[in-house]
Amino acid sequence: MRILCLIVVACMVSGCGEERVMRRTMVMSEYSIGASSINGDGSVTFRLAAPEAQRVSVSGDFISAADGTAFGGGEMVRNGDGVWEYTTLPLASELYTYSFNVDGVRICDPTNGHISRNVSTLSSELIIGGGRGDYYRVNDVPHGTVRSCWYHSDSYGCDRRMMVYTPPGYESGGRYPVLYLLHGAGNDEGSWLELGRVEEIMDNMIARGECRPMIVVMPNGNAFKQAADISAAEGTALEWSDRKPLNPMLEVSFAEVVDYVDGTFRTVDGKRGRAIAGLSMGGGQTSIISYSLPDTFDYVGLFSAAVGAVTDEQNDAKIKAQRDNGLKLYWIACGTEDFLYDGNRQYMSYLDSIGFPYVYCESDGGHIWRNWRIYLSEFAPMLFRK
Amino acid sequence: MRILCLIVVACMVSGCGEERVMRRTMVMSEYSIGASSINGDGSVTFRLAAPEAQRVSVSGDFISAADGTAFGGGEMVRNGDGVWEYTTLPLASELYTYSFNVDGVRICDPTNGHISRNVSTLSSELIIGGGRGDYYRVNDVPHGTVRSCWYHSDSYGCDRRMMVYTPPGYESGGRYPVLYLLHGAGNDEGSWLELGRVEEIMDNMIARGECRPMIVVMPNGNAFKQAADISAAEGTALEWSDRKPLNPMLEVSFAEVVDYVDGTFRTVDGKRGRAIAGLSMGGGQTSIISYSLPDTFDYVGLFSAAVGAVTDEQNDAKIKAQRDNGLKLYWIACGTEDFLYDGNRQYMSYLDSIGFPYVYCESDGGHIWRNWRIYLSEFAPMLFRK
């Protein structure tokens, strides 16, 4: 009954990925990043005009194309025009985030319009194409629709915001399966789009026939928030926590999310048409939601999930019921450097002990968005195939 | 036949506005702006930790609450902890953008998640409540849905991106009128949402019954772009201009936009259910589109529009046909300091000369988003009333 599959990082990061490299359908100039530039060999020259600054450096989550090692940037050198420069090694195809430090102050690249927010930290972004990074770009393929909408939650007693991706062609009719995608602690309903590149990944994979067209629903998973801080009524977070300290968690109220989505969008009804996945806190929620609503999801994905040994008797009984009820895929992915790695091993030991079938996918790296984008692009192709 | 109405700035900025101040339906903490803080008297204390910096200043588009004069910030002072501070005068209720300058480098506030992009410049944002600024906040009112979607343009030969606001309740059924809202040169389909606060203005005005529920459509008005640079396939802009130097302008292809919207959303059919307005370049486009499609729009708004004397005989004939065909509102607004002020005066002289009825609304200030937010909140209540 058990399916235990170790997929090594070489397959995840290079093997499978290489087969899926987006062909360029038109001659494209490189992704513009302002005064800085992506060079022909995949190296990046960062530039910042700061004639009066004393010291400037660049930091990023770079990976060498030559040997796959990570490096973090370095000191920039001032040229005669007062422009500070730094050129990286040739970089592996990926989406990178970076920032400058000017006399001790961390800043985004002021000439690059591509920025993202991780919790409360803003960073600049760039994409090196020619490989995995092509999944994260806007390419010349049919595009889905992304909407920001609000549903009413009876258990929270308020409206809450969610982001929804519908695939190209949705407007023409038909019913579509749904992937519910949950974020981590500190993130919000916009994080999977902004940092996880869901719109680009889905557009590109659907265009190449690598995954089925599907709806992707990204709710807010924080118990005390209606929406991301920048999209919420001011003071909401504070007020809710003051007034309703026992507010229901997302796990308890998740049936409301499913009901809203089934009532608002043309969905494939029943568990065969539903998947749920989440990262970190959202991975823990995915575990709980999927066994608390055992007839709801045929596909479950735990990405660097906040899980551990299962010792509670009630939870043990629910997970066994989920096992007996059957589902098509229970997929667990974690990086070897993740601080939740041991918790995931304990969780899988428990699943092994009760004969719960799952697939395990181990990558390198830690608790980072690069891994979660990779996990999504590995998970999505397995959904709604049968 | 002529209706010429001079609405002075005092009415626009204070008079009408005061009547529409959002009542706070819940006790709210102030809009959080990170390490900086909004004080009880409406002044703002900016703070930036930069122990190693030599010189730090703050710049913004501030307005004194006491006398309505504009001021731009100033030098910050380093305290003993290496934190630089500057406190403004008490500010009038508004949305303000600001930035810091650290040793000659312009930066966003690194601790404030509220940022916006104007063309390629990123700025931090803050809102002073208690007046007009409350229209630009997310308040605890029913929220509409905002979607990013792509339509196919036969005349451009590609898919193009637009943003669409649908009002609260749209999902429950019924038909809604449509306001088409066009941006200025250098802006894109996201600018009216990001800088123009369309979602917040519409949510708040609809909640107070100050305007009818309506759909707001924000297409990309640049002839050589499929979408905003950050949302487009890389190199698209360059490629289109290289390959199709005579690409149709938005004015020529606008019927496609209307067809897509009428085919995709539940709209009120016919000119009584359509308004069009635009700022700067988009105002010029609004003039042209509305006389080129004379049976399409009953409401037309020119916000700081790129217009001037009408000397072309064909255009003169089309505008006279638009006049004879009749429409419910032709509304022109411009600031006295706007570089397009003279052009607007010339355009109105022409309209006067042919007896074309319009309403003119003059404000202070120049070619700035503050004015365009105000114009939208003055224009929207007049739409779809009859």
Side-chain angles (χ1 to χ4, degrees):
Chain A
M1 187 169 178
R2 257 196 298 156
I3 306 169
L4 179 57
C5 171
L6 280 167
I7 303 178
V8 296
V9 62
C11 166
M12 290 191 57
V13 173
S14 312
C16 313
E18 288 302 315
E19 296 167 15
R20 295 204 198 115
V21 169
M22 299 294 304
R23 261 190 298 269
R24 297 190 178 199
T25 54
M26 44 198 278
V27 178
M28 294 186 290
S29 68
E30 267 301 347
Y31 191 84
S32 169
I33 53 170
S36 303
S37 58
I38 299 174
N39 306 314
D41 63 353
S43 66
V44 179
T45 300
F46 293 102
R47 294 185 188 89
L48 180 72
E52 301 165 44
Q54 307 300 304
R55 193 177 155 211
V56 182
S57 59
V58 58
S59 299
D61 53 353
F62 308 122
I63 299 175
S64 156
D67 59 6
T69 54
F71 65 101
E75 296 293 319
M76 297 173 79
V77 176
R78 187 187 189 284
N79 70 19
D81 298 324
V83 175
W84 298 72
E85 292 192 347
Y86 174 88
T87 298
T88 68
L89 300 171
L91 299 178
S93 177
E94 246 302 342
L95 183 156
Y96 298 102
T97 58
Y98 68 97
S99 63
F100 296 133
N101 190 299
V102 179
D103 291 343
V105 179
R106 182 192 182 283
I107 69 169
C108 291
D109 183 343
T111 68
N112 180 359
H114 299 265
I115 54 166
S116 61
R117 179 175 54 82
N118 194 359
V119 189
S120 58
T121 303
L122 299 169
S123 299
S124 297
E125 281 185 346
L126 65 89
I127 293 175
I128 302 293
R132 184 173 291 281
D134 291 336
Y135 280 96
Y136 311 144
R137 298 177 184 236
V138 179
N139 290 298
D140 192 19
V141 298
H143 299 295
T145 295
V146 172
R147 68 194 86 190
S148 150
C149 52
W150 297 71
Y151 70 100
H152 185 74
S153 166
D154 284 332
S155 51
Y156 284 88
C158 66
D159 291 342
R160 308 191 83 224
R161 185 165 174 259
M162 64 167 67
M163 309 300 287
V164 180
Y165 168 90
T166 54
Y170 176 83
E171 288 72 20
S172 303
R175 292 193 165 272
Y176 292 82
V178 182
L179 166 60
Y180 293 86
L181 207 45
L182 310 183
H183 61 74
N187 296 143
D188 55 63
E189 69 277 12
S191 301
W192 263 112
L193 286 167
E194 193 165 337
L195 299 155
R197 307 294 281 184
V198 163
E199 182 179 5
E200 293 80 7
I201 291 172
M202 297 309 295
D203 279 355
N204 290 322
M205 297 192 86
I206 291 169
R208 290 181 54 84
E210 293 172 357
C211 75
R212 299 271 316 260
M214 64 185 81
I215 299 166
V216 184
V217 171
M218 293 154 277
N220 187 304
N222 300 302
F224 301 118
K225 294 194 176 181
Q226 287 181 278
D229 286 340
I230 61 165
S231 301
E234 297 86 341
T236 300
L238 184 65
E239 178 147 357
W240 284 106
S241 58
D242 284 352
R243 197 169 61 191
K244 298 194 176 181
L246 297 174
N247 234 352
M249 303 293 283
L250 187 68
E251 295 88 326
V252 179
S253 66
F254 203 80
E256 292 177 340
V257 174
V258 175
D259 286 347
Y260 169 78
V261 169
D262 282 341
T264 305
F265 299 91
R266 298 190 316 277
T267 59
V268 173
D269 207 23
K271 66 187 295 210
R272 74 188 170 94
R274 293 197 204 94
I276 185 167
L279 72 91
S280 194
M281 175 186 84
Q285 291 173 325
T286 294
S287 162
I288 297 170
I289 290 167
S290 72
Y291 69 64
S292 301
L293 303 171
D295 286 323
T296 307
F297 304 99
D298 248 352
Y299 305 87
V300 176
L302 274 56
F303 303 171
S304 312
V307 289
V310 175
T311 53
D312 181 276
E313 278 185 26
Q314 286 190 318
N315 293 344
D316 170 65
K318 288 179 183 172
I319 296 173
K320 285 174 178 164
Q322 183 181 22
R323 172 199 63 191
D324 296 342
N325 197 50
L327 73 173
K328 288 179 177 156
L329 177 66
Y330 199 97
W331 194 79
I332 300 172
C334 196
T336 50
E337 298 161 50
D338 198 306
F339 73 95
L340 295 175
Y341 182 77
D342 289 345
N344 275 266
R345 302 296 311 189
Q346 290 162 13
Y347 187 69
M348 288 187 282
S349 292
Y350 163 76
L351 294 180
D352 290 340
S353 74
I354 65 165
F356 192 115
Y358 63 91
V359 176
Y360 174 54
C361 200
E362 189 167 286
S363 73
D364 64 3
H367 208 68
I368 53 176
W369 274 99
R370 182 167 68 232
N371 272 347
W372 303 324
R373 288 189 295 266
I374 293 174
Y375 298 165
L376 174 62
S377 60
E378 297 289 324
F379 183 63
M382 297 184 281
L383 304 179
F384 313 122
R385 288 291 184 184
K386 310 165 195 177
Chain B
M1 189 172 176
R2 257 194 302 157
I3 306 169
L4 177 58
C5 173
L6 279 166
I7 303 178
V8 295
V9 61
C11 166
M12 289 191 57
V13 173
S14 311
C16 314
E18 288 302 315
E19 297 167 15
R20 294 203 199 117
V21 169
M22 299 296 304
R23 260 189 299 268
R24 297 189 180 201
T25 54
M26 45 198 279
V27 178
M28 294 186 288
S29 68
E30 266 302 347
Y31 191 84
S32 169
I33 53 169
S36 303
S37 58
I38 299 174
N39 306 314
D41 63 354
S43 66
V44 178
T45 300
F46 293 102
R47 294 184 188 89
L48 180 72
E52 302 164 44
Q54 307 299 303
R55 192 176 158 213
V56 181
S57 60
V58 58
S59 299
D61 53 352
F62 309 121
I63 299 175
S64 157
D67 59 7
T69 54
F71 65 103
E75 296 290 321
M76 299 174 79
V77 176
R78 187 186 189 285
N79 71 18
D81 298 323
V83 175
W84 298 72
E85 291 192 348
Y86 173 89
T87 298
T88 70
L89 301 170
L91 299 178
S93 177
E94 245 304 339
L95 182 156
Y96 298 103
T97 57
Y98 69 99
S99 62
F100 296 133
N101 190 298
V102 179
D103 291 343
V105 180
R106 182 190 182 284
I107 70 170
C108 291
D109 185 342
T111 68
N112 180 0
H114 299 265
I115 55 166
S116 61
R117 179 176 53 83
N118 193 359
V119 191
S120 58
T121 303
L122 299 169
S123 298
S124 297
E125 283 185 347
L126 64 88
I127 293 175
I128 302 292
R132 185 173 290 280
D134 291 336
Y135 280 96
Y136 310 145
R137 297 176 185 240
V138 179
N139 290 298
D140 192 19
V141 299
H143 300 295
T145 294
V146 172
R147 69 194 85 191
S148 151
C149 52
W150 296 72
Y151 70 100
H152 185 73
S153 165
D154 284 331
S155 51
Y156 284 88
C158 65
D159 291 342
R160 308 191 83 224
R161 185 165 174 258
M162 64 167 66
M163 309 301 288
V164 180
Y165 169 89
T166 53
Y170 176 82
E171 288 72 20
S172 304
R175 292 194 164 271
Y176 292 82
V178 182
L179 166 60
Y180 292 85
L181 207 46
L182 310 184
H183 61 75
N187 295 143
D188 55 63
E189 70 277 13
S191 302
W192 263 112
L193 286 167
E194 193 165 336
L195 298 155
R197 306 295 282 184
V198 163
E199 182 179 6
E200 293 79 7
I201 290 172
M202 298 309 296
D203 280 354
N204 290 323
M205 297 193 85
I206 291 169
R208 289 181 56 84
E210 292 172 356
C211 76
R212 301 270 316 261
M214 65 185 80
I215 298 167
V216 185
V217 172
M218 293 154 276
N220 187 305
N222 300 303
F224 300 118
K225 294 193 178 186
Q226 286 181 279
D229 286 340
I230 60 163
S231 301
E234 298 87 339
T236 300
L238 184 63
E239 177 147 2
W240 284 107
S241 58
D242 285 350
R243 198 169 61 191
K244 298 194 176 181
L246 296 175
N247 235 354
M249 303 293 285
L250 187 68
E251 297 87 326
V252 179
S253 66
F254 204 79
E256 291 178 340
V257 174
V258 175
D259 286 347
Y260 169 78
V261 169
D262 282 341
T264 306
F265 298 92
R266 297 191 316 277
T267 60
V268 173
D269 207 21
K271 66 187 294 207
R272 75 189 171 92
R274 293 196 203 97
I276 185 166
L279 71 92
S280 194
M281 173 186 83
Q285 291 173 323
T286 294
S287 162
I288 297 170
I289 291 167
S290 73
Y291 68 63
S292 302
L293 302 172
D295 285 324
T296 309
F297 305 99
D298 248 351
Y299 304 88
V300 177
L302 274 56
F303 303 170
S304 310
V307 289
V310 176
T311 53
D312 181 278
E313 279 187 24
Q314 285 191 318
N315 293 345
D316 171 67
K318 287 179 184 173
I319 296 173
K320 285 173 178 164
Q322 183 181 23
R323 173 200 63 193
D324 296 341
N325 196 50
L327 70 174
K328 289 178 177 158
L329 178 65
Y330 200 98
W331 195 79
I332 299 172
C334 197
T336 51
E337 297 162 51
D338 198 305
F339 73 95
L340 295 175
Y341 182 77
D342 289 344
N344 274 265
R345 303 297 309 189
Q346 290 163 11
Y347 187 69
M348 288 186 284
S349 292
Y350 164 77
L351 294 180
D352 290 341
S353 74
I354 65 165
F356 192 115
Y358 63 90
V359 178
Y360 175 54
C361 199
E362 189 167 286
S363 72
D364 65 2
H367 208 67
I368 53 176
W369 274 99
R370 180 167 70 233
N371 272 346
W372 303 324
R373 288 188 296 267
I374 293 173
Y375 298 165
L376 174 62
S377 61
E378 296 290 324
F379 184 63
M382 297 184 280
L383 304 180
F384 314 121
R385 289 290 186 185
K386 308 165 195 175

